[in-house]
């Protein structure tokens, strides 16, 4: 479906459970772009930090670990594969334990600095769809299209509850409280907090299908790319 002459970068930000990853993956597929799941990168660091027994507040130690990790995002038949030091950790990084700790790891300055640098390198050639918390405001402030995707905390809790499947030890109400707390941590962290960029387009996905949201972003992307192509002629 790639009808564009120019290739642009698309930044999709928003809180946990808003559907960013699913939407970004669909947009990248429809435009023939590369999808970069930045949240998976922070989850990978969280997994390795917990395995190493590091404190989620130890900036120096976790930052050193992050710099030593080889993180690769590869396309797979069931979605994007997350490879860390040659091992596929795609399933391991989606557990409840990682959900509960990733915001603490993601707010560490050394970790954010390392991940942001990797993410910027991935976007240099253009034609990237990247989702996260600070893509439009910090990682790719010059992205041609910025989107802030959100939904009510209850809606996001329901989505995450379904994603966890049969994993024990969590109720929907508890998950909603944890999502609200994660929102607070993401919004209040000192380094690159969760914010809507001034020039980002807002989409509330509550009550909307993923297909509808993705199609809206694709149409915006096509329009922007066509405008750029016309201006370059």
């Amino acid at each position: 479906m790639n009808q564009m002459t120019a290739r642009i970068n698309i930044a999709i930000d928003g809180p946990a459970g808003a559907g960013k990853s699913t939407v970004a993956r669909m947009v990248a597929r429809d435009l023939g772009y590369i999808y970069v799941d930045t949240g998976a990168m922070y989850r990978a660091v969280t997994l390795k930090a917990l395995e190493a027994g590091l404190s989620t507040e130890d900036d120096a130690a976790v930052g050193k670990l992050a710099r030593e990790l080889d993180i690769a995002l590869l396309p797979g038949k069931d979605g994007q594969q997350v490879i860390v030091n040659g091992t596929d950790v795609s399933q391991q990084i989606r557990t409840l334990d990682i959900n509960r700790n990733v915001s603490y790891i993601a707010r560490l300055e050394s970790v954010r600095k390392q991940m942001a640098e990797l993410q910027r390198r991935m976007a240099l050639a253009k034609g990237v769809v990247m989702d996260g918390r600070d893509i439009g405001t910090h990682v790719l402030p010059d992205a041609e299209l910025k989107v802030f995707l959100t939904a009510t905390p209850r809606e996001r809790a329901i989505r995450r509850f379904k994603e966890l499947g049969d994993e024990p030890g969590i109720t929907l109400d508890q998950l909603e409280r944890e999502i609200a707390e994660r929102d607070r941590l993401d919004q209040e962290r000192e380094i690159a907090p969760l914010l809507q960029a001034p020039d980002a387009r807002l989409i509330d996905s509550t009550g909307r299908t993923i297909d509808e949201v993705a199609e809206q972003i694709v149409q915006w992307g096509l329009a922007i790319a066509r405008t750029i192509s016309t201006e370059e002629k």
Side-chain angles (χ1 to χ4, degrees):
M1 184 180 166
N2 187 1
Q3 306 170 29
M4 293 190 272
T5 300
R7 293 173 69 81
I8 67 173
N9 286 332
I10 300 175
I12 302 177
D13 289 311
K20 300 184 303 296
S21 297
T22 303
V23 167
R25 190 179 297 111
M26 293 173 69
V27 170
R29 178 201 66 200
D30 289 349
L31 295 176
Y33 278 17
I34 295 170
Y35 166 54
V36 178
D37 182 354
T38 65
M41 298 169 73
Y42 286 103
R43 285 171 173 272
V45 176
T46 303
L47 173 67
K48 291 303 176 181
L50 294 179
E51 287 181 348
L54 300 179
S55 167
T56 57
E57 298 180 357
D58 193 335
D59 195 333
V62 180
K64 180 176 183 296
L65 178 143
R67 290 190 294 273
E68 294 172 349
L69 294 178
D70 179 14
I71 301 175
L73 305 177
L74 304 175
K77 64 178 183 178
D78 297 320
Q80 191 171 65
Q81 288 183 302
V82 182
I83 311 297
V84 180
N85 296 340
T87 300
D88 187 343
V89 298
S90 305
Q91 298 302 314
Q92 293 171 266
I93 64 171
R94 300 296 175 185
T95 64
L96 186 58
D97 195 30
I98 300 301
N99 285 349
R100 286 172 169 166
N101 286 281
V102 65
S103 285
Y104 296 98
I105 294 295
R107 67 181 180 176
L108 297 178
E109 182 176 6
S110 60
V111 175
R112 297 210 71 82
K113 182 178 179 180
Q114 176 65 15
M115 294 300 104
E117 179 59 31
L118 289 175
Q119 291 152 14
R120 290 189 189 106
R121 280 186 234 154
M122 293 176 179
L124 285 175
K126 298 289 186 178
V128 160
V129 180
M130 193 175 293
D131 74 287
R133 303 287 192 283
D134 62 346
I135 309 305
T137 56
H138 181 68
V139 179
L140 300 179
D142 296 326
E144 290 82 358
L145 173 58
K146 301 175 188 176
V147 176
F148 193 85
L149 179 61
T150 189
T152 64
R154 188 67 175 185
E155 176 93 1
R156 290 185 279 134
I158 291 171
R159 294 172 184 172
R160 189 52 56 83
F161 190 74
K162 292 178 180 177
E163 181 182 283
L164 291 171
D166 297 328
E167 187 166 337
I170 188 74
T171 65
L172 181 58
D173 288 342
Q174 183 182 354
L175 193 54
E176 184 177 2
R177 289 193 296 272
E178 290 186 0
I179 283 177
E181 173 63 10
R182 186 169 174 187
D183 287 350
R184 186 188 67 79
L185 290 171
D186 288 342
Q187 291 164 356
E188 294 180 0
R189 69 184 178 219
E190 293 184 9
I191 308 301
L194 170 65
L195 294 171
Q196 179 180 341
D199 54 345
R201 307 185 189 202
L202 176 66
I203 298 182
D204 188 333
S205 65
T206 306
R208 300 182 66 177
T209 69
I210 293 297
D211 287 335
E212 289 172 345
V213 173
E215 178 60 22
Q216 175 66 82
I217 297 173
V218 167
Q219 292 306 314
W220 283 339
L222 288 170
I224 290 170
R226 289 184 186 124
T227 299
I228 292 173
S229 296
T230 299
E231 291 173 349
E232 290 177 346
K233 290 181 180 178

